[in-house]
Amino acid sequence: MLRIFHNLFGINEQSRFQRAWQAFLLGICAPFGWLFITFLLQLTPVDPLYEVALYTYITVGSVFAMVGFALCISKSEEHFARMSLLDPLTTLYNSRYLLTRADQEFALLERTGQHMALLMADIDHFKYVNDQYGHSVGDIVLHQVAKVMQTTARKVDVVARVGGEEFALLLPNSTTAGAMILAERIRERIEHTPIVLPDGRSFNVKISLGVSSTEEFLPQVFNELYESADNALYRAKRDGRNRVVKAVETDMLTNDVAC
């Protein structure tokens, strides 16, 4: 886990050494740079321009150092801001980003009437995978399933992990028919893509999906669309799993189902 954290945030022994080496070069180059300038301009401490050149050198060097420092800080802030929106295990977006994008898409829907769809997906019998193979294998399953979803979805789609083995796909500018086609494609690819373990073993998992779309009914808030897709997912689980089910506006089931 510590190694994963280090890899995610760029904190490792190599980067520490690089930072220390860069700091050393910066520190030693400053006086050597001044010596080079005095040699180039033939300046001595008694020269009237010596102090002017020294203060200019210090000022310009300080400005460049501060600008470089600000750029590094800005880059780090952008990196950590992005990481705060990603699921660390699968590198998919997390619920926070999904809700942010959903609000944006709802605003677009109000302005332009551009519909969107939501897929809710859950790995079938995932508890059995963890019990049979261990949680480390469960993590491999989550990562590979996430990869299939990400490579199958469109570039404009938002693929997020919203729970333990539960995923959501927000499909901007999508019809119900298009969402159903994508959901079925994802289901088939996951079913036929072996989960390959480090020791060479492999097995297959299956997934259930629920589909809801603003084309079918117009929810007032994203939570209604989310609940509608989640209820469709419940029906897919209830009816035998490994299937895609379209939401019905009046179907507001709230029962939980075991994975």
Side-chain angles (χ1 to χ4, degrees):
M1 181 61 69
L2 186 59
R3 180 178 298 177
I4 293 175
F5 179 83
H6 285 169
N7 289 338
L8 280 173
F9 292 96
I11 302 173
N12 51 50
E13 293 300 328
Q14 184 177 1
S15 64
R16 289 196 187 102
F17 176 78
Q18 289 175 347
R19 299 296 181 270
W21 178 246
Q22 290 166 357
F24 172 77
L25 288 178
L26 182 62
I28 200 171
C29 283
F32 276 104
W34 173 242
L35 290 177
F36 176 75
I37 289 176
T38 58
F39 173 78
L40 188 65
L41 300 179
Q42 296 296 308
L43 293 175
T44 64
V46 297
D47 196 304
L49 296 178
Y50 185 88
E51 291 187 358
V52 175
L54 177 59
Y55 292 145
T56 303
Y57 175 78
I58 293 174
T59 301
V60 173
S62 298
V63 169
F64 274 100
M66 294 303 295
V67 168
F69 180 74
L71 290 175
C72 290
I73 293 297
S74 175
K75 184 177 180 181
S76 297
E77 288 177 345
E78 291 176 1
H79 174 75
F80 283 111
R82 175 173 172 78
M83 293 306 301
S84 70
L85 301 176
L86 298 180
D87 172 59
L89 176 62
T90 62
T91 69
L92 296 178
Y93 289 113
N94 57 22
S95 299
R96 178 182 175 187
Y97 181 80
L98 177 70
L99 294 175
T100 300
R101 278 297 304 275
D103 289 341
Q104 295 171 353
E105 294 302 326
F106 257 82
L108 189 62
L109 172 62
E110 293 177 353
R111 294 197 308 269
T112 67
Q114 177 179 297
H115 288 289
M116 64 178 173
L118 180 69
L119 311 185
M120 295 297 296
D122 191 277
I123 301 174
D124 295 331
H125 302 293
F126 187 70
K127 185 177 184 300
Y128 171 81
V129 173
N130 279 331
D131 293 342
Q132 180 72 17
Y133 298 98
H135 289 279
S136 60
V137 172
D139 289 347
I140 294 175
V141 171
L142 291 170
H143 188 271
Q144 294 194 25
V145 167
K147 184 177 180 180
V148 172
M149 288 185 178
Q150 201 165 36
T151 56
T152 306
R154 303 172 302 172
K155 290 184 178 181
V156 297
D157 297 334
V158 178
V159 187
R161 182 186 177 201
V162 296
E165 68 273 19
E166 193 169 16
F167 303 85
L169 292 88
L170 183 66
L171 315 182
N173 193 22
S174 176
T175 63
T176 303
M180 290 292 291
I181 291 173
L182 176 61
E184 183 60 30
R185 186 178 297 130
I186 289 173
R187 187 198 66 78
E188 289 181 352
R189 289 187 178 179
I190 289 176
E191 182 181 11
H192 297 102
T193 301
I195 305 296
V196 181
L197 303 182
D199 61 5
R201 292 180 298 165
S202 64
F203 61 92
N204 292 73
V205 296
K206 299 177 182 179
I207 196 167
S208 300
L209 299 102
V211 179
S212 186
S213 169
T214 58
E215 189 180 30
E216 300 296 320
F217 78 104
L218 192 59
Q220 299 300 311
V221 291
F222 176 69
N223 187 58
E224 293 180 3
L225 184 68
Y226 189 98
E227 185 177 0
S228 176
D230 200 45
N231 291 333
L233 173 60
Y234 166 80
R235 290 196 288 120
K237 292 283 191 178
R238 184 195 63 187
D239 294 345
R241 298 180 171 84
N242 189 32
R243 65 191 62 219
V244 176
V245 172
K246 183 176 71 172
V248 180
E249 183 180 0
T250 57
D251 183 12
M252 300 301 290
L253 297 173
T254 57
N255 296 344
D256 292 328
V257 63
C259 295

